Amino acid sequence: METQTNEHVIKPADRMTVLPTQFFAKLVGKANAQAAKGRDVINLGQGNPDQPTPPHIVARMQEASANPMYHRYPPFSGYSFLKEAVAARYKEDYGVDVDPATEVAILFGGKTGLVEISQCLLNPGDVCLVPDPGYPDYWSGVALSGAEMSFMPLTADNRFLPDYSVIDEEALKRAKLMFINYPNNPTGAIADSDFYEETVQFARRTGVVVASDFAYGAIGFDGKKPVSFLQTPGAKEVGVEFYTLSKTYNMAGWRVGFAIGNAKVVSLINLIQDHYYCSLFGGIQEAAALALTGPQDCVTELTARYESRREAVFGALDRIGWKADRPGGSFFCWLPVPEGYTSESFADLVLEQADVVVAPGNGFGTHGEGYVRLGLLTSEERLIEAIERIGKLGIF
Ligand SMILES: Cc1ncc(COP(=O)(O)O)c(C=O)c1O
């Protein structure tokens, strides 16, 4: 008897086909292949904090996980004590007043909110202004909403800040949302209050909503505390800021972030989240609140650690003759590749011949070409060794 095979065809929705390719998955693959050869690979290509969460936060989580209240569903938009903790931190750190009930949304990490905001605000045919180079997750949300991107080049000549005067007029007419990110990934640049004032004016003039990604808000060097977008008069009328515990408290695995600012945007984010989730585990929310309201010396120590690593790297770069500018914040160094190389050919070379992984700048956008990004996410000894290995290639 003939058996009929009925192949069940799973056809993804069109939406799935527009998602940008994950450039960094390729990088991880190359690094793993090199390590599988038994090589001692120093991976400076990714942005994963290497230190553990401070013990007082972990201890609170251990206790809180036993609280039966948290074993039930949490309130849809999260516990008010966590929103109040964020509001208190913004008041203390930046002198900014936010209403925890209406101006704070709790997120599953900043990444989630950065994707959701595009879905909340953009229709097909709309334009989103996106920094180039920039954090690739901005692209994902724009793609899922069927909108288009118009890139704002970030160049060394303009201190890696966007120049609003050169944005294409046609794109500007359709622009509804923009992303800015300081301290910046990948360039390590920081922004001052003049830039944010200019941004608020630009938003008012054009009607664009500002999404300020402040993921590295706690990490500023040379005694300069990064400025929050929300410190600018009028900022709350035109946008929101995304904040995360991932970097400030080494809590990347915990997935806790916030959208803070404009009440309308916050309510839209809460609305979309009502359909996706039922907020974070209550124990995580309690430990997150403690992170924000408890002692902050762990944050000062962490920033000092990154600054010390930065100095170790720039000392080594100097010794091998690799000329670059120090980052003002974040935990990334943005280094120009030597003449005769592209971002990718240089990254491949240092992986193959020095067993060092750096992220090629073109993965962050076309204006990232000519650079590689190096993360300050391992010990000073290993960072120095990585640079010395590159030095031994005799390129500089
Ligand atoms: C610029 C930037 N924004 C946002 C995030 C998101 O962080 P999380 O989702 O862990 O809050 C990252 C993480 O690497 C980042 O580099």
Side-chain angles (χ1 to χ4, degrees):
M1 209 173 79
E2 202 179 310
T3 49
Q4 198 184 337
T5 52
N6 233 349
E7 200 195 336
H8 197 78
V9 181
I10 311 270
K11 193 171 177 306
D14 295 344
R15 184 178 312 113
M16 299 304 291
T17 64
V18 300
L19 283 170
T21 46
Q22 254 292 12
F23 185 85
F24 291 92
K26 194 164 118 191
L27 181 72
V28 173
K30 282 183 187 176
N32 289 346
Q34 191 74 352
K37 291 183 205 159
R39 313 293 291 255
D40 171 27
V41 172
I42 305 180
N43 190 344
L44 309 178
Q46 282 153 293
N48 206 345
D50 62 310
Q51 295 296 303
T53 304
H56 68 286
I57 303 171
V58 175
R60 177 58 68 87
M61 173 63 184
Q62 283 164 335
E63 267 168 52
S65 65
N67 183 344
M69 180 173 92
Y70 297 143
H71 302 166
R72 312 185 65 192
Y73 288 114
F76 265 90
S77 66
Y79 285 101
S80 37
F81 64 72
L82 180 52
K83 298 181 207 174
E84 283 156 15
V86 178
R89 175 89 350 255
Y90 258 70
K91 180 72 183 167
E92 190 175 322
D93 278 357
Y94 308 111
V96 168
D97 286 300
V98 287
D99 175 4
T102 58
E103 295 176 337
V104 177
I106 299 172
L107 311 166
F108 276 82
K111 178 180 167 84
T112 316
L114 291 165
V115 175
E116 285 165 352
I117 192 171
S118 289
Q119 293 175 296
C120 292
L121 296 175
L122 299 175
N123 285 312
D126 289 342
V127 166
C128 181
L129 305 175
V130 180
D132 171 11
Y135 178 60
D137 280 350
Y138 310 141
W139 314 340
S140 316
V142 180
L144 286 173
S145 63
E148 292 162 35
M149 292 193 284
S150 177
F151 289 104
M152 301 184 288
L154 308 185
T155 60
D157 292 346
N158 203 39
R159 294 177 294 132
F160 299 109
L161 299 169
D163 178 353
Y164 297 134
S165 71
V166 299
I167 295 176
D168 178 65
E169 280 299 318
E170 200 278 327
L172 207 46
K173 281 189 203 134
R174 291 188 288 133
K176 299 279 158 54
L177 174 67
M178 69 182 288
F179 288 99
I180 51 172
N181 165 225
Y182 297 96
N184 184 257
N185 177 6
T187 66
I190 50 169
D192 55 17
S193 47
D194 287 352
F195 168 72
Y196 288 124
E197 273 164 32
E198 201 197 324
T199 301
V200 169
Q201 280 166 20
F202 172 76
R204 281 192 174 138
R205 197 167 68 241
T206 58
V208 167
V209 173
V210 179
S212 164
D213 180 357
F214 204 41
Y216 299 92
I219 313 171
F221 303 138
D222 309 309
K224 285 192 199 140
K225 186 181 171 65
V227 180
S228 157
F229 165 69
L230 295 179
Q231 285 175 280
T232 323
K236 251 202 277 183
E237 279 93 79
V238 298
V240 288
E241 184 149 272
F242 288 93
Y243 194 71
T244 168
L245 304 194
S246 295
K247 326 287 170 174
T248 311
Y249 304 100
N250 289 317
M251 290 175 71
W254 298 57
R255 313 308 304 134
V256 190
F258 306 96
I260 307 160
N262 186 275
K264 176 78 190 171
V265 176
V266 164
S267 76
L268 289 170
I269 289 175
N270 276 328
L271 177 61
I272 202 168
Q273 296 202 136
D274 283 351
H275 293 267
Y276 277 126
Y277 324 105
C278 186
S279 197
L280 301 159
F281 174 55
I284 293 187
Q285 296 193 48
E286 191 180 318
L290 177 70
L292 291 158
T293 54
Q296 299 296 301
D297 37 337
C298 54
V299 183
T300 318
E301 282 159 22
L302 185 67
T303 301
R305 182 189 289 269
Y306 289 135
E307 185 156 352
S308 174
R309 288 178 179 178
R310 179 192 73 163
E311 289 313 297
V313 164
F314 275 79
L317 290 174
D318 209 35
R319 288 194 292 280
I320 72 164
W322 190 349
K323 297 220 173 336
D325 292 325
R326 282 170 164 70
S330 85
F331 48 51
F332 297 115
C333 305
W334 189 235
L335 308 175
V337 301
E339 268 203 41
Y341 292 90
T342 64
S343 295
E344 228 167 330
S345 71
F346 184 72
D348 284 344
L349 177 88
V350 298
L351 176 60
E352 280 153 25
Q353 296 189 18
D355 297 321
V356 175
V357 184
V358 292
N362 62 324
F364 303 94
T366 45
H367 286 82
E369 182 50 70
Y371 291 88
V372 290
R373 189 192 72 177
L374 181 148
L376 299 169
L377 298 168
T378 187
S379 67
E380 289 180 26
E381 295 71 38
R382 291 289 272 176
L383 287 164
I384 292 169
E385 184 183 339
I387 306 296
E388 284 174 351
R389 284 192 202 169
I390 296 173
K392 285 201 189 108
L393 302 179
I395 302 168
F396 293 96

